[in-house]
Amino acid sequence: MLARHAESLFWAGRYVERASDTARMLDVTYHGLLESPPQEVQRAWLDLLEVLGTGPSFAARHADDVSEATVSRFLAIDTDNPGSVVSLVGRARENVRSVRELVSTEMWEAVNAFYLELGGHDLTYDIENQPSQLYSMVKGRCQAVAGSAVETMPHDDAWRFMMLGWMIERAEMTLRLLDVRYLQLADLDPQSGFHHWIGVLKSASAAEAYRRAYSLSMDRADVVEFLLLSEGFPRSVLWCLRSAEENLGLLCNPGRLSRAQRVLGRIRADLEYCDVHELISGDLNAFLRATLGHVRRVAELLALELFRNADEFDLHALEHS
């Protein structure tokens, strides 16, 4: 496969996953603030910008207006923001279109229909009057794209490059979510922290799966353990890294580990043998940031070893803008 085709598939996976994550976190934040006191509102929207790595670019344009309306427009429909949902879906569509012969008709139609549906909406009206419906539509269409890829594409190299992007993006997002939210919630007592931790789980679509695993417990260590180390939840960091490692192993030459494989394997092993209670009694945030740095290093090594050029828009750039 041509390197530029592999890169297009990798980034298509990342863009769709990022659009889904952004819509889900916007929805959780919107609903979580409906009955919150005014002093919590601005902090919550700033937290969301930090999790998504868009704080600096938002501040450059809207520093004095951190409100639900401004942040929602910026993250969902602002075409001048390369990390908005609309921008991400457009880039995903362009990447899939450039490798049209490597994806199934159903997968292409799912991406293209999603893009056209967004274009057919009055998105300003939706954000102001029915944001939850818009976010639900975005989440549903992203799932339709992922489902069509799973169900209709052969699980060959094209599929593996797309899944690699999907899993790297998902692991990064869960690490960022834990890093930002743990720092803010660690000192809350169980009663006052309960709804905040539920919000963290919902931000990763993990609330129901967590309840099945831990019943009524809302202990911070249990939440961290689930999002970081769950063996069976497909948004835990460990699950994503194992999936990425498996797909990368099938893409690389057998018998010789690439640098990206070595880094990815070390991160996975560190997670498999870590003890969450030891991490919490030490410096969990330092561990999360170090792990996030290693995951980003994997993405950089993939670009160096497998792709010809860096993508026009690297999601990492959001955090340094």
Side-chain angles (χ1 to χ4, degrees):
M1 179 185 300
L2 295 175
R4 58 186 171 83
H5 289 169
E7 186 172 24
S8 293
L9 289 158
F10 176 83
W11 281 103
R14 292 201 67 160
Y15 292 146
V16 173
E17 178 63 23
R18 174 63 77 100
S20 176
D21 290 340
T22 301
R24 184 172 54 258
M25 291 187 190
L26 275 165
D27 201 19
V28 171
T29 305
Y30 169 76
H31 282 289
L33 292 175
L34 289 178
E35 298 181 0
S36 296
Q39 60 268 27
E40 290 185 10
V41 172
Q42 186 180 77
R43 182 69 258 167
W45 290 112
L46 287 171
D47 291 346
L48 176 59
L49 290 164
E50 186 177 356
V51 170
L52 295 172
T54 52
S57 54
F58 178 87
R61 295 172 54 192
H62 307 288
D64 298 326
D65 186 13
V66 184
S67 62
E68 174 200 327
T70 310
V71 176
S72 298
R73 282 197 300 271
F74 179 75
L75 292 177
I77 65 173
D78 187 345
T79 54
D80 292 329
N81 171 19
S84 72
V85 169
V86 169
S87 297
L88 291 165
V89 172
R91 290 179 183 277
R93 175 182 179 265
E94 284 306 303
N95 278 31
V96 173
R97 187 176 62 81
S98 71
V99 290
R100 178 66 187 84
E101 71 279 12
L102 296 175
V103 302
S104 65
T105 297
E106 289 85 350
M107 199 272 182
W108 159 247
E109 289 179 347
V111 175
N112 193 45
F114 184 13
Y115 173 80
L116 295 175
E117 185 172 1
L118 279 177
H121 275 244
D122 182 344
L123 296 175
T124 301
Y125 175 87
D126 289 348
I127 282 290
E128 293 174 354
N129 297 282
Q130 48 189 22
S132 193
Q133 287 92 328
L134 175 62
Y135 304 145
S136 294
M137 184 274 282
V138 171
K139 290 183 288 182
R141 298 300 179 270
C142 288
Q143 290 164 359
V145 173
S148 65
V150 171
E151 298 292 336
T152 63
M153 285 178 63
H155 291 194
D156 55 9
D157 285 356
W159 152 263
R160 292 183 188 110
F161 276 115
M162 193 179 299
M163 286 301 297
L164 195 53
W166 236 299
M167 292 300 109
I168 292 290
E169 178 62 31
R170 188 175 291 181
E172 280 198 18
M173 189 61 75
T174 302
L175 285 166
R176 278 198 300 270
L177 175 67
L178 275 174
D179 181 33
V180 172
R181 298 299 281 156
Y182 184 81
L183 198 60
Q184 299 157 348
L185 305 180
D187 295 331
L188 294 179
D189 61 69
Q191 185 174 3
S192 58
F194 183 89
H195 293 292
H196 291 287
W197 285 113
I198 284 285
V200 173
L201 290 165
K202 287 183 176 178
S203 294
S205 288
E208 293 178 356
Y210 173 86
R211 285 297 180 86
R212 289 178 61 183
Y214 292 91
S215 188
L216 297 178
S217 165
M218 196 49 67
D219 184 88
R220 60 177 183 167
D222 291 340
V223 175
V224 172
E225 183 176 65
F226 188 73
L227 292 178
L228 200 58
L229 303 175
S230 171
E231 300 265 352
F233 181 61
R235 290 188 179 276
S236 82
V237 177
L238 179 59
W239 197 97
C240 293
L241 295 182
R242 280 179 174 169
S243 177
E245 187 179 16
E246 178 183 353
N247 282 288
L248 181 59
L250 294 169
L251 288 165
C252 294
N253 294 328
R256 181 183 178 186
L257 292 177
S258 68
R259 293 171 65 194
Q261 282 178 286
R262 292 179 190 278
V263 176
L264 193 48
R266 284 200 296 269
I267 311 171
R268 186 259 307 152
D270 285 345
L271 286 172
E272 286 178 337
Y273 293 101
C274 78
D275 184 312
V276 165
H277 294 279
E278 289 180 2
L279 292 177
I280 287 178
S281 64
D283 190 343
L284 176 64
N285 286 98
F287 176 82
L288 293 171
R289 289 169 191 172
T291 305
L292 181 58
H294 294 321
V295 174
R296 289 173 177 165
R297 180 58 180 156
V298 171
E300 292 166 358
L301 289 171
L302 290 173
L304 289 171
E305 294 174 337
L306 300 176
F307 308 144
R308 180 171 300 174
N309 301 300
D311 193 82
E312 178 187 356
F313 169 57
D314 187 332
L315 288 169
H316 297 165
L318 285 175
E319 296 169 54
H320 304 290
S321 56

